[in-house]
Amino acid sequence: MSGGARLMWDEAVTGYDFGPGHPMDPLRLALTMRLVEAFGLTGRMEVVAAPPAGDSTLRLVHQAEYVDAVRRASEDPASADTSRGLGTEDDPAFEGMHTVSALIAGQSVTAAESVWSGRVLHAVNFAGGLHHAMPGAAAGFCVYNDAALAIARLLELGAERVAYIDVDVHHGDGVQQAFWDDPRVMTVSVHEHPRTLFPQTGWPEESGGPGAEGSAVNVALPAGTGDAGWLRAFHAVVPELVEAFQPQVIVSQHGADTHFEDPLAHLAVSLDAQRLVAEACHDLAHRHSEGRWLALGGGGYSVVEVVPRAWTHLVAIVAGSPIDPTTETPDEWRHEVYRRTRQMAPLRMTDGRTPQWQDFHTGGYDPADRLDQAVLATRRAVFPMHGLLP
């Protein structure tokens, strides 16, 4: 197993653009890459642009008829098939949509191949993490499900146990559905409760299909959960399950939309807590999968304040060069932010928080607390299936 890390990047991914006013502003990708460059991280890892995923790769997860529908909508947006989620308010059709969506998928699939082969130990594609796309339909700003495609490619290459950890504020429904009946993949999603947020799935009782019981894990957090609760829930569920499952590779999705400034959801998590969870995923990979780790982006709609800093921390952790949160953002990046947005950029790589949480195992739990109720619901639903006490 070699060391090293790989960053997947092609400037053309910024063409994944649903149009003016859509929350999925590709500027968030460009500003992230400029911040990554300003910190010199591109000199500490390979930077690779992979080709778009071809049809045979896309069909590892997606129906051939759906791929054809995306291609048609890409050529003539007015003809988009809304029954397949295309040309909708969430997923407007645009020219070139197939090519750029396949390009993002290609980055994640190639990243997975490089990690599995031992070419690198870690890889990151922050343009990826489009976890809502279904086998036969677009959904939730996602056309092709690069996370599921990367996992499917790992299975095709011979992986027998893949752990998928999703900490986006929205349930990782498309990845869960893709592997619902496959015991080789454990999908763990920590998200805002489906009562209060799209896609209204991800209940703790959703735990996998016949023959794959316990392979789907859902932690549904109350709206308003902040750093202490979010970290408590993550550490009360994820590490034990990963240890029990003993994955050969970990794929993690780091949507930044859990942040308290995100306009589309209702959690209250800081950049500092998001960084700690990225470090925890890195640690889990080294403890349980010989360091094999593929990290993806995801949601995140605070385009200037949150996303670039959150994912630059992620890239830095992948590169083995974590950034001290008290570090100032580089002047050149702040100037670029102002030039592109006429907004003032954040001055430091922190929200000024020092997140602390009470460990679920040592500090006891409160049966009247909504956060602890959520944790217990998940543990009761799936832990016995892995030989663990709830």
Side-chain angles (χ1 to χ4, degrees):
M1 174 74 67
S2 70
R6 176 175 281 186
L7 168 62
M8 308 304 300
W9 178 255
D10 184 324
E11 203 74 30
V13 298
T14 60
Y16 191 80
D17 187 353
F18 291 114
H22 193 283
M24 193 75 137
D25 188 338
L27 182 61
R28 68 200 193 116
L29 302 178
L31 291 180
T32 299
M33 190 59 186
R34 301 293 85 81
L35 187 55
V36 165
E37 291 168 340
F39 272 114
L41 294 172
T42 52
R44 299 172 199 172
M45 59 202 309
E46 287 186 318
V47 181
V48 175
D55 281 13
S56 62
T57 298
L58 294 173
R59 289 171 186 170
L60 292 174
V61 168
H62 294 291
Q63 299 165 5
E65 297 81 6
Y66 172 62
V67 176
D68 291 342
V70 174
R71 188 176 273 109
R72 287 194 300 271
S74 187
E75 294 168 355
D76 178 13
S79 71
D81 184 352
T82 55
S83 72
R84 291 193 176 273
L86 302 167
T88 60
E89 183 177 358
D90 274 2
D91 297 273
F94 59 92
E95 288 187 12
M97 178 173 65
H98 165 77
T99 300
V100 71
S101 300
L103 180 65
I104 291 171
Q107 308 312 303
S108 294
V109 169
T110 298
E113 292 169 347
S114 66
V115 169
W116 183 252
S117 70
R119 175 70 183 80
V120 294
L121 202 56
H122 309 327
V124 57
N125 175 27
F126 60 77
L130 304 179
H131 59 170
H132 294 307
M134 293 291 173
F141 314 161
C142 305
V143 177
Y144 292 138
N145 196 320
D146 66 286
L149 288 164
I151 295 168
R153 179 60 176 146
L154 288 167
L155 299 178
E156 189 177 53
L157 291 170
E160 296 174 349
R161 294 180 311 282
V162 180
Y164 173 71
I165 302 169
D166 188 320
V167 295
D168 192 288
V169 78
H170 302 90
H171 177 226
D173 56 341
V175 185
Q176 175 179 288
Q177 179 158 325
F179 303 106
W180 182 252
D181 296 315
D182 195 332
R184 296 174 296 173
V185 181
M186 182 174 69
T187 62
V188 185
S189 181
V190 182
H191 49 266
E192 184 179 329
H193 202 285
R195 283 197 193 96
T196 53
L197 195 66
F198 174 90
Q200 282 79 53
T201 57
W203 298 78
E205 296 78 17
E206 298 171 31
S207 57
E213 294 87 353
S215 66
V217 182
N218 289 291
V219 188
L221 303 177
T225 297
D227 287 357
W230 193 64
L231 292 167
R232 177 173 169 83
F234 179 92
H235 287 285
V237 172
V238 180
E240 278 183 90
L241 287 172
V242 171
E243 182 176 9
F245 189 65
Q246 285 296 300
Q248 295 161 300
V249 58
I250 290 176
V251 178
S252 56
Q253 195 268 21
H254 298 265
D257 42 10
T258 51
H259 197 273
F260 56 79
E261 288 194 5
D262 196 90
L264 298 190
H266 319 98
L267 295 191
V269 174
S270 73
L271 184 75
D272 303 284
Q274 292 174 338
R275 179 178 55 81
L276 291 179
V277 161
E279 289 180 344
C281 290
H282 177 243
D283 181 56
L284 288 170
H286 278 283
R287 279 195 280 148
H288 303 298
S289 61
E290 298 182 331
R292 295 186 193 94
W293 179 35
L294 168 57
L296 305 172
Y301 309 100
S302 179
V303 171
V304 170
E305 284 291 327
V306 179
V307 174
R309 293 186 297 159
W311 290 347
T312 297
H313 275 302
L314 178 65
V315 171
I317 292 164
V318 169
S321 300
I323 297 168
D324 187 316
T326 63
T327 305
E328 291 188 358
T329 53
D331 283 342
E332 62 192 271
W333 181 72
R334 284 185 237 161
H335 292 317
E336 176 71 2
V337 168
Y338 187 76
R339 185 184 72 81
R340 298 284 297 268
T341 69
R342 289 298 184 262
Q343 294 181 45
M344 300 303 292
L347 299 179
R348 294 187 183 275
M349 292 295 288
T350 177
D351 286 330
R353 307 286 177 87
T354 306
Q356 297 181 346
W357 72 98
Q358 187 176 41
D359 186 82
F360 190 83
H361 305 287
T362 60
Y365 63 91
D366 179 356
D369 181 79
R370 291 173 63 215
L371 188 282
D372 281 3
Q373 289 171 2
V375 169
L376 280 171
T378 301
R379 291 175 64 98
R380 287 170 176 159
V382 298
F383 270 47
M385 299 176 190
H386 294 272
L388 301 171
L389 294 173

